[in-house]
């Protein structure tokens, strides 16, 4: 799917003008563009004649890299400024400044649920920058090394200079084994998940879960710890970090959705193990809600409940009771952004406030975009050190309706 900025903007416009039927969108109206539909060539003398006759739109449309000179460029700039023409003919744009080119790669069979979100996020960021861009989505189908090599070959053939790849640790490690000639940013994986030497052209934007666990563990040292986690790769890694920074683990359990039916019976016998302990919930929101409700129902009083980015989501506030979340602390690495960028992203269902994949993806787009256009506005404050985005960790507490800083 190849997408040109001007076409996408026009297609999106009807749904953006009056979202929910009430508010006027803050996104700018479509820009004025001039297209040359005449196949006949126009010499410099021809262009000067068009200017003399006041046929400015014909002049703008027919000017190109072959017939332009400095004098005609000056005339072009004056006309575009006075008439608020945003884009000259495509061939002239390419002569003066090429469009920003970026590819998005994902294996639909593995992470299909992210495909629409990340596509919208890339579009939202570039539209907000009012960028001229070429954006193409590539489906690698799977994360096998053969499929990844095939799709990277297509990206090279397409002339793309930057790529964002939404892979799991499996795909990221396979990509690392290939000879990559363009920078590829992987927002979904942390560099610590890569085995062996890391390719110089790979950049990682994954959350540093170890830093989050370390920060949470420092809040209440030297007491017993309970660890709930799921059986996923990330869940197991998080439990490993809990064990690393909390030596006295009194109880640990792999908790998946299929375990929920028998869990209430099991919980009745855990009061002694969990009471006055640090409870780590390294489980998805639905599983966390089940565990929290059972802790409350069985009148178990832990010293605190701790979780990472996994549970930083407003859904936690709606599917749990406030008393379930008492003494709960959540580590978060999504920083505050410009409200206009956030709201405009919401218009095409791209969440920058709570979805860390979207947040990391938008950072990657900005990193590539500002490397080509240094004067562009920057929204993110994070830096890249040794091929990895560096995130700050803040500790939040969930209140009745929002997440507040623990340190306020």
């Amino acid at each position: 799917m190849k997408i040109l900025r001007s076409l996408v903007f026009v297609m999106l416009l009807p749904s953006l003008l009056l979202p929910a039927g009430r508010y006027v969108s803050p996104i700018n109206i479509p820009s004025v563009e001039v297209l040359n539909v005449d196949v006949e060539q126009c010499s410099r003398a021809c262009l000067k004649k068009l200017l003399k006759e006041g046929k400015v739109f014909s002049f703008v449309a027919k000017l190109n890299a072959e017939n332009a000179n400095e004098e005609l460029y000056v005339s072009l700039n004056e006309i575009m400024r006075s008439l608020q023409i945003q884009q000259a003919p495509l061939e002239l744009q390419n002569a003066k400044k090429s469009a920003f080119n970026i590819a998005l790669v994902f294996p639909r069979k593995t992470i299909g649920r992210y495909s629409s979100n990340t596509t919208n996020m890339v579009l939202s960021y570039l539209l907000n920058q009012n960028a001229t861009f070429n954006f193409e989505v590539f489906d690698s189908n799977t994360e096998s090394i053969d499929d990844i090599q095939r799709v990277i070959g297509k990206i090279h053939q397409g002339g793309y200079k930057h790529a964002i790849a939404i892979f799991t640790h499996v795909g990221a490690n396979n990509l690392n084994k290939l000879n990559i000639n363009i920078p590829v940013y992987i927002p979904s994986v942390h560099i610590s998940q890569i085995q062996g030497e890391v390719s110089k052209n790979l950049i990682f934007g994954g959350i540093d879960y170890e830093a989050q666990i370390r920060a949470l563990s420092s809040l209440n040292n030297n007491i017993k710890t309970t660890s709930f986690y799921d059986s996923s790769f990330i869940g197991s890694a998080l439990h490993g970090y809990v064990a690393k920074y909390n030596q006295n683990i009194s109880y640990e359990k792999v908790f998946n959705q299929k375990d929920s039916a028998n869990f209430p019976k099991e919980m009745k016998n855990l009061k002694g193990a969990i009471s006055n302990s640090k409870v780590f919930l390294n489980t998805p929101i639905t599983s966390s809600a089940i565990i929290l409700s059972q802790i409350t129902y069985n009148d178990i009083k832990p010293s605190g409940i701790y979780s990472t980015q996994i549970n930083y989501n407003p859904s936690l506030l709606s599917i749990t009771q406030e008393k379930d979340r008492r003494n709960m602390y959540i580590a978060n690495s999504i920083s505050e952004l410009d409200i206009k960028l956030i709201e405009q992203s919401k218009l095409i269902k791209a969440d920058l406030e709570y979805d860390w994949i979207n947040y990391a993806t938008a950072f990657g787009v900005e990193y590539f975009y500002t490397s080509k256009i240094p004067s562009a506005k920057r929204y993110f404050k994070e830096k890249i050190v040794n091929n990895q985005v560096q995130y700050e960790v803040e500790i939040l507490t969930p209140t009745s309706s929002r997440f507040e800083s623990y340190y306020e």
Side-chain angles (χ1 to χ4, degrees):
M1 158 172 86
K2 190 169 184 178
I3 305 171
L4 296 178
R5 174 193 173 277
S6 55
L7 176 60
V8 170
F9 195 94
V10 173
M11 291 174 65
L12 289 175
L13 185 63
S15 62
L16 299 185
L17 282 177
L18 294 173
R22 294 183 296 169
Y23 304 108
V24 176
S25 167
I27 296 179
N28 296 329
I29 61 174
S31 56
V32 178
E33 303 178 15
V34 177
L35 304 178
N36 184 14
V37 295
D38 190 346
V39 296
E40 294 185 7
Q41 297 296 316
C42 187
S43 65
R44 290 178 184 173
C46 167
L47 290 171
K48 291 179 180 180
K49 181 179 179 182
L50 290 174
L51 278 177
K52 186 176 181 180
E53 294 173 349
K55 298 178 180 179
V56 293
F57 287 103
S58 294
F59 167 82
V60 173
K62 292 178 179 294
L63 187 67
N64 56 50
E66 284 70 38
N67 60 17
N69 60 17
E70 189 63 29
E71 177 186 356
L72 294 174
Y73 272 135
V74 171
S75 298
L76 172 70
N77 291 332
E78 290 177 353
I79 292 169
M80 293 182 67
R81 183 172 59 252
S82 62
L83 297 180
Q84 296 185 340
I85 299 172
Q86 301 299 321
Q87 293 189 21
L90 182 60
E91 62 267 26
L92 187 59
Q93 292 179 45
N94 291 336
K96 297 187 69 179
K97 184 184 75 172
S98 61
F100 174 68
N101 297 289
I102 189 166
L104 174 65
V105 185
F106 58 80
R108 191 180 297 275
K109 285 188 176 180
T110 307
I111 53 93
R113 65 193 180 94
Y114 287 118
S115 59
S116 177
N117 287 344
T118 51
T119 300
N120 287 350
M121 189 67 260
V122 175
L123 286 173
S124 176
Y125 182 87
L126 292 173
L127 288 172
N128 191 76
Q129 286 280 18
N130 197 28
T132 299
F133 63 89
N134 295 320
F135 171 42
E136 189 167 356
V137 178
F138 295 83
D139 181 6
S140 65
N141 196 34
T142 74
E143 293 185 287
S144 71
I145 194 165
D146 289 339
D147 280 346
I148 292 176
Q149 189 166 35
R150 172 183 55 79
V151 80
I152 292 297
K154 287 184 177 181
I155 290 172
H156 283 306
Q157 291 173 9
Y160 289 94
K161 304 300 182 183
H162 316 89
I164 293 177
I166 312 296
F167 287 146
T168 69
H169 68 287
V170 174
N173 276 284
N174 282 336
L175 180 63
N176 189 50
K177 297 173 184 177
L178 301 176
N179 181 24
I180 308 300
N181 296 321
I182 62 170
V184 179
Y185 174 78
I186 308 175
S188 47
V189 172
H190 189 270
I191 195 171
S192 62
Q193 299 170 13
I194 302 302
Q195 300 172 353
E197 184 178 355
V198 176
S199 168
K200 65 179 181 180
N201 282 323
L202 294 187
I203 305 165
F204 300 88
I207 294 293
D208 189 347
Y209 283 114
E210 182 174 4
Q212 292 193 348
I213 293 292
R214 183 169 60 245
L216 290 167
S217 300
S218 67
L219 294 180
N220 201 346
N221 288 322
N222 302 320
I223 64 172
K224 64 181 182 179
T225 301
T226 300
S227 177
F228 291 96
Y229 58 101
D230 68 5
S231 58
S232 68
F233 173 83
I234 293 297
S236 298
L238 288 171
H239 175 65
Y241 298 142
V242 171
K244 179 178 180 179
Y245 294 102
N246 299 271
Q247 302 302 316
N248 185 15
I249 297 182
S250 60
Y251 179 78
E252 59 185 71
K253 178 177 176 57
V254 177
F255 185 91
N256 297 305
Q257 281 295 304
K258 60 183 178 61
D259 303 316
S260 59
N262 297 322
F263 186 65
K265 294 180 181 179
E266 183 179 348
M267 198 67 169
K268 293 179 180 179
N269 301 319
L270 297 178
K271 190 168 185 177
I274 298 178
S275 294
N276 300 314
S277 73
K278 299 167 63 174
V279 177
F280 279 87
L281 292 184
N282 292 314
T283 49
I285 290 176
T286 303
S287 296
S288 297
I290 294 171
I291 297 170
L292 288 171
S293 66
Q294 287 301 310
I295 290 175
T296 300
Y297 179 78
N298 289 282
D299 196 29
I300 300 174
K301 293 181 171 55
S303 67
I305 298 170
Y306 305 85
S307 188
T308 60
Q309 201 75 45
I310 292 173
N311 284 301
Y312 179 61
N313 192 297
S315 296
L316 182 72
L317 306 179
S318 61
I319 65 175
T320 61
Q321 301 179 77
E322 187 174 0
K323 60 182 178 181
D324 297 342
R325 305 188 301 271
R326 190 178 298 118
N327 295 325
M328 187 172 187
Y329 307 92
I330 295 179
N332 167 53
S333 295
I334 296 178
S335 299
E336 291 185 4
L337 292 172
D338 183 282
I339 189 64
K340 181 181 177 182
L341 178 65
I342 291 174
E343 293 302 320
Q344 291 186 175
S345 298
K346 285 180 179 178
L347 291 174
I348 54 176
K349 298 181 180 180
D351 177 18
L352 274 173
E353 290 186 283
Y354 296 102
D355 189 317
W356 74 264
I357 293 287
N358 277 346
Y359 184 91
T361 298
F363 171 86
V365 179
E366 177 165 293
Y367 173 74
F368 287 143
Y369 186 71
T370 54
S371 68
K372 180 177 176 61
I373 306 173
S375 61
K377 181 176 180 178
R378 297 171 188 263
Y379 294 95
F380 294 85
K381 63 181 180 181
E382 287 83 1
K383 305 296 182 183
I384 295 174
V385 178
N386 296 327
N387 297 66
Q388 170 62 48
V389 180
Q390 304 298 303
Y391 296 101
E392 295 180 358
V393 177
E394 63 172 344
I395 307 300
L396 304 173
T397 58
T399 63
S400 59
S401 59
R402 63 192 184 99
F403 295 91
E404 295 181 351
S405 174
Y406 166 68
Y407 299 105
E408 288 183 353

